[in-house]
């Protein structure tokens, strides 16, 4: 079967298996033709569907919220903020917002960033007592001359903007921390990794891309540790002319390879989102014999609405909301023997 024909026949359930085959169109993305830097893959269907929302892990409620915002005709930036807020408010989730697992001193500390179609970016790192880190990050982007606020400064800024201070350590997370304290050993668990960062990318009806990333970071981390999620180019990167990427997993490895920026630059050079994600994972495993012991996963989207996802190990999930369907899929992964 010719590639073109195959792609047209591919359903959403094949997410990540065929580069550029995840989105079957009902509405042409007119921006594609206007954007000279968008790679033109030979014999690849350019028909795409927008709006679209894609997020790391099984976060149907978050993607559903983001989709609703897009359906109302609002921007991808609004969709990203409101979508991420859903998971931040979920006290049962132990990796994002309220209920996040604490650092080794018992403090829940949040990292988040957001990036818009103009390439503007805002982030908070190591912020405590405010659950909607993504919204504070947006305020940093829109209301300050800076791009990152950290720790107490971030918290004070949030309070000055009307955010409510609250205890983010739930009974369940406190109990888990107390159990951990008995041995105090840090061992990331593959696929769960002690944290599941929510990275979300969206394209609105105008074809504009935004992204966000929010996390409580590695559980039982050292006080002061900051992961990849709030760092531009590592946990998230958006270039509205090309596409966007975001990461989940062991932040140290993503930081060392500036993974999300790498993926967007590879897409700029003509790679599909899928191949670009695979290349970024390749950079990590190629340099690190230790990859058996940690997980990293990437998702990416290009201007055409094509998506890609790849992780080191099995167990990574991606949620995509497109064409009125909100579906989780398991992408292909590197470590087949694992
Ligand atoms: N990827 C999130 C973190 O390492 O903190």
């Amino acid at each position: 079967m010719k590639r073109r024909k195959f792609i047209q026949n591919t359903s959403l359930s094949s997410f990540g298996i065929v580069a550029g085959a995840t989105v079957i169109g009902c509405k042409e993305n007119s921006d594609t033709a206007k954007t000279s830097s968008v790679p033109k893959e030979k014999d690849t269907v350019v028909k795409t569907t927008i709006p679209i929302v894609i997020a790391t892990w099984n976060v149907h409620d978050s993607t559903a919220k983001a989709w609703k915002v897009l359906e109302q005709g609002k921007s991808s930036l609004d969709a990203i903020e409101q979508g991420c807020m859903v998971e931040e408010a979920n006290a049962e989730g132990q990796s994002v917002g309220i209920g996040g697992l604490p650092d080794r001193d018992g403090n829940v500390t949040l990292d988040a960033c957001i990036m818009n179609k103009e390439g503007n970016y805002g982030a908070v790192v190591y912020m405590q007592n405010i659950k909607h880190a993504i919204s504070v990050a947006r305020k940093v982007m829109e209301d300050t001359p800076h791009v990152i606020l950290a720790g107490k400064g971030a918290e004070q800024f949030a309070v000055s903007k009307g955010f409510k201070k609250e205890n983010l350590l739930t009974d369940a997370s406190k109990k888990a921390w107390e159990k951990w304290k008995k041995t105090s050993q840090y061992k990331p668990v593959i696929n769960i990794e002690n944290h599941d960062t929510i990275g979300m990318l969206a394209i609105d009806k105008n074809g504009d891309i935004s992204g966000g990333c929010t996390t409580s970071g590695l559980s039982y981390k050292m006080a002061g540790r900051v992961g990849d999620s709030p760092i531009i180019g590592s946990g998230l990167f958006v270039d509205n002319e090309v596409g966007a990427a975001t990461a989940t997993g062991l932040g140290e490895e993503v930081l060392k390879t500036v993974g999300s920026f790498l993926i967007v630059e590879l897409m700029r050079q003509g790679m599909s989102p899928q191949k670009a994600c695979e290349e970024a994972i390749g950079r990590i495993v190629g340099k690190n014999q230790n990859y058996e012991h940690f997980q990293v996963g990437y998702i990416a989207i290009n201007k055409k609405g094509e998506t890609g996802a790849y992780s080191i190990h099995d167990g990574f999930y991606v949620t995509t909301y497109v064409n009125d369907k909100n579906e989780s899929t398991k992408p292909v992964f590197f470590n087949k023997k694992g």
Side-chain angles (χ1 to χ4, degrees):
M1 193 187 289
K2 282 217 160 77
R3 179 172 166 76
R4 172 183 289 269
K5 187 84 184 151
F6 176 69
I7 287 172
Q8 279 171 331
N9 288 342
T10 305
S11 76
L12 272 171
S13 63
S14 69
F15 184 92
I17 293 171
V18 179
T22 55
V23 181
I24 310 300
C26 67
K27 177 183 170 190
E28 295 278 345
N29 180 356
S30 55
D31 276 17
T32 301
K34 286 188 271 165
T35 309
S36 59
S37 53
V38 170
K40 290 191 177 36
E41 285 180 281
K42 202 164 169 262
D43 204 25
T44 298
V45 170
V46 179
K47 217 182 226 181
T48 65
T49 301
I50 57 170
I52 181 170
V53 181
I54 178 170
T56 56
W57 303 107
N58 290 308
V59 287
H60 289 87
D61 291 349
S62 290
T63 47
K65 179 67 190 185
W67 179 260
K68 206 167 167 193
V69 172
L70 292 179
E71 269 190 328
Q72 290 163 353
K74 295 191 181 149
S75 68
S76 53
L77 189 69
D78 288 336
I80 291 293
E81 180 187 0
Q82 292 189 43
C84 289
M85 283 172 71
V86 170
E87 200 50 42
E88 288 177 339
N90 173 16
E92 282 170 23
Q94 291 187 301
S95 59
V96 174
I98 190 162
L101 290 166
D103 66 12
R104 51 187 62 178
D105 299 335
N107 297 312
V108 180
T109 70
L110 304 181
D111 294 340
C113 77
I114 197 161
M115 201 162 172
N116 71 6
K117 63 177 179 172
E118 279 103 21
N120 293 319
Y121 151 82
V124 291
V125 305
Y126 209 71
M127 184 178 72
Q128 296 180 39
N129 302 316
I130 311 281
K131 73 175 166 233
H132 288 307
I134 194 78
S135 303
V136 185
R138 183 170 177 175
K139 289 275 181 218
V140 172
M141 177 175 79
E142 293 179 343
D143 294 358
T144 80
H146 308 302
V147 293
I148 305 178
L149 291 180
K152 273 281 161 225
E155 187 181 321
Q156 281 161 7
F157 169 71
V159 170
S160 79
K161 289 289 170 184
F163 289 84
K164 190 171 76 114
K165 277 174 76 162
E166 60 192 300
N167 176 20
L168 302 181
L169 187 65
T170 55
D171 288 346
S173 289
K174 190 171 176 201
K175 219 165 149 188
W177 169 62
E178 279 163 351
K179 189 171 168 206
W180 172 83
K181 272 202 300 182
K182 289 186 183 145
T183 55
S184 298
Q185 287 206 334
Y186 175 64
K187 281 196 196 132
V189 178
I190 297 224
N191 299 329
I192 302 164
E193 319 137 64
N194 297 333
H195 66 100
D196 304 325
T197 300
I198 302 306
M200 188 181 283
L201 311 171
I203 306 182
D204 59 30
K205 70 176 173 45
N206 299 319
D208 290 323
I209 311 171
S210 301
C213 203
T214 181
T215 187
S216 51
L218 285 176
S219 48
Y220 320 128
K221 59 197 173 187
M222 291 173 69
R225 182 262 187 191
V226 172
D228 61 308
S229 303
I231 306 301
I232 188 169
S234 288
L236 175 74
F237 196 69
V238 176
D239 184 326
N240 196 40
E241 287 191 13
V242 178
T246 186
T248 182
L250 188 64
E252 281 73 5
E253 299 305 322
V254 177
L255 281 162
K256 285 190 278 184
T257 48
V258 199
S260 293
F261 184 70
L262 173 64
I263 290 169
V264 173
E265 291 310 299
L266 290 171
M267 291 195 290
R268 192 192 307 279
Q269 289 166 27
M271 249 183 223
S272 66
Q274 181 62 32
K275 285 280 168 237
C277 288
E278 290 176 14
E279 176 67 24
I281 290 293
R283 294 282 171 101
I284 294 173
V285 299
K287 284 178 190 296
N288 202 326
Q289 297 298 317
N290 201 33
Y291 73 81
E292 302 266 358
H293 303 293
F294 61 81
Q295 172 73 304
V296 172
Y298 287 112
I299 60 170
I301 194 163
N302 68 13
K303 189 71 176 168
K304 294 186 277 187
E306 296 168 341
T307 56
Y310 201 60
S311 58
I312 301 177
H313 302 285
D314 194 10
F316 177 42
Y317 282 85
V318 175
T319 307
T320 308
Y321 208 136
V322 68
N323 282 340
D324 279 321
K325 276 206 195 100
N326 194 11
E327 288 184 337
S328 281
T329 46
K330 190 158 96 160
V332 284
F333 55 93
F334 171 80
N335 188 17
K336 303 292 182 303
K337 63 181 163 42

